[in-house]
């Protein structure tokens, strides 16, 4: 089982201090890696968003992604560093695109939101939950539960967007378009084309020839 | 002092193992990278 050096080091240290068995040390390494990578990804994404002046839109993108990736899953990169680049680049980019689209008025943003709702609902019904070979979902009951949660999140998110739309919040239109774009992205990541895109990203080589 | 530190380590490990069981119950760990799930957490 391969974890990054810092996860193995911290897990080893904690398990020595608490006399944990070997299988529990692997669990510790796993959770330390998940928590650290997620924290760093979120921190640097929000930092870039703040520098670009699109903090609220990026935060909306992250919240939407966390909700859907938790229950629906999706395509993964096999490198934590490529994953970090994708995450840090893509959500501020969506926020920039969202604020650009919001300039064209409520009508366009409503049309994108409606499209995202239909695409999201179809993707959740057809593909969710999409697990990865590194973390397979074995139980069929759990698969069924995650599918129901994913579909429920599409309705919940649409309801939240409708509430935001009716509010007088200055970022309402931007957040609405960011949520719609993220739902489209999360839905795309469930499809075969989304998986192909991630495997293409995995094939990019940074080595000098 | 050593007693307090061992309790702190025990508490940290308990919290981390609890969080591991929560993350194992989800389809994916938010970002686009998924480390290998330990055998004992697979369900």
């Amino acid at each position: 089982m391969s974890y990054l050096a810092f996860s193995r080091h911290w897990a080893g240290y904690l398990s020595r201090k608490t006399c944990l068995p070997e299988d529990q040390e692997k669990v510790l390494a796993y959770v330390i890696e998940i928590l650290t990578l997620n924290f760093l990804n979120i921190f640097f994404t929000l930092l870039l968003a703040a520098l670009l002046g699109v903090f609220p839109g990026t935060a909306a993108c992250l919240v939407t992604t966390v909700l859907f990736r938790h229950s629906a899953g999706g395509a993964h990169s096999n490198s934590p560093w490529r994953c970090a680049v994708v995450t840090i680049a893509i959500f501020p980019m969506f926020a920039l695109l969202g604020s650009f689209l919001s300039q064209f008025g409520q009508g366009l943003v409503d049309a994108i939101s409606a499209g995202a709702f239909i695409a999201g609902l179809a993707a959740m019904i057809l593909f969710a939950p999409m697990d990865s070979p590194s973390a397979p979902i074995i139980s069929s009951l759990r698969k069924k539960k995650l599918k129901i949660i994913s579909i429920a999140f599409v309705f919940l998110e649409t309801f939240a967007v409708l509430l935001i739309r009716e509010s007088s919040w200055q970022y309402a239109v931007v957040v609405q378009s960011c949520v719609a774009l993220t739902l489209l992205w999360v839905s795309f990541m469930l499809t075969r084309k989304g998986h192909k895109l991630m495997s293409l990203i995995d094939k990019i080589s940074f080595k000098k020839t | 002092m050593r007693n307090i530190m061992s309790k702190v380590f025990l508490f940290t490990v308990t919290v981390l193992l609890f969080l591991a069981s929560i993350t194992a119950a989800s389809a994916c760990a938010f970002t686009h990278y998924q480390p290998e799930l330990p055998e004992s957490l697979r369900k």
Side-chain angles (χ1 to χ4, degrees):
Chain A
M1 214 163 270
S2 58
Y3 296 112
L4 296 171
F6 74 87
S7 319
R8 291 198 309 265
H9 177 77
W10 292 352
Y13 180 75
L14 283 173
S15 64
R16 276 195 304 277
K17 290 285 176 188
T18 52
C19 306
L20 275 186
E22 197 191 343
D23 62 325
Q24 295 290 291
E25 186 180 327
K26 281 177 187 166
V27 175
L28 276 185
Y30 169 77
V31 74
I32 288 169
E33 189 152 316
I34 291 258
L35 291 176
T36 313
L37 292 177
N38 279 331
F39 173 79
L40 290 175
N41 279 340
I42 290 171
F43 176 77
F44 285 110
T45 306
L46 290 175
L47 186 68
L48 181 63
L51 291 172
L52 293 171
V54 286
F55 191 88
T58 308
C61 290
L62 285 176
V63 170
T64 311
T65 312
V66 169
L67 283 180
F68 283 103
R69 296 279 291 186
H70 169 269
S71 54
H76 288 95
S77 164
N78 55 25
S79 149
W81 313 118
R82 285 168 210 270
C83 152
V85 171
V86 170
T87 306
I88 294 165
I90 209 130
F91 296 116
M93 200 182 77
F94 282 162
L96 282 172
L97 184 62
S99 48
F100 172 73
L101 291 172
S102 67
Q103 292 170 2
F104 295 96
Q106 187 71 59
L108 178 70
V109 176
D110 284 347
I112 296 168
S113 297
F117 171 74
I118 293 164
L121 196 58
M124 299 309 152
I125 291 168
L126 291 172
F127 306 117
M130 185 65 72
D131 55 356
S132 78
S134 311
I137 304 168
I138 297 162
S139 156
S140 57
L141 180 69
R142 212 176 120 227
K143 277 187 180 175
K144 205 179 276 180
K145 274 184 186 172
L146 288 170
K147 187 186 270 296
I148 292 167
I149 293 169
S150 307
I151 295 167
F153 273 146
V154 177
F155 286 100
L156 191 74
E157 179 253 24
T158 308
F159 180 68
V161 163
L162 286 174
L163 285 180
I164 292 169
R165 187 184 179 280
E166 296 306 314
S167 74
S168 55
W169 189 30
Q170 59 169 324
Y171 294 111
V173 191
V174 176
V175 166
Q176 188 188 341
S177 55
C178 287
V179 169
L181 290 170
T182 311
L183 181 54
L184 286 172
W185 170 256
V186 169
S187 307
F188 175 66
M189 280 293 115
L190 291 173
T191 64
R192 197 172 286 178
K193 293 243 190 272
H195 283 77
K196 273 189 181 164
L197 175 70
M198 288 313 280
S199 64
L200 261 178
I201 292 169
D202 281 339
K203 281 177 190 156
I204 297 170
S205 174
F206 297 106
K207 284 178 188 166
K208 286 179 187 171
T209 49
Chain B
M1 187 67 183
R2 187 177 280 182
N3 197 23
I4 293 170
M5 282 313 285
S6 69
K7 278 182 181 163
V8 169
F9 284 128
L10 203 62
F11 176 76
T12 310
V13 166
T14 310
V15 170
L16 286 174
L17 292 177
F18 175 67
L19 289 173
S21 68
I22 292 174
T23 55
S26 65
C28 146
F30 162 59
T31 53
H32 298 86
Y33 172 68
Q34 172 70 54
E36 199 175 340
L37 190 71
E39 207 64 49
S40 58
L41 285 178
R42 293 188 181 194
K43 51 188 171 183

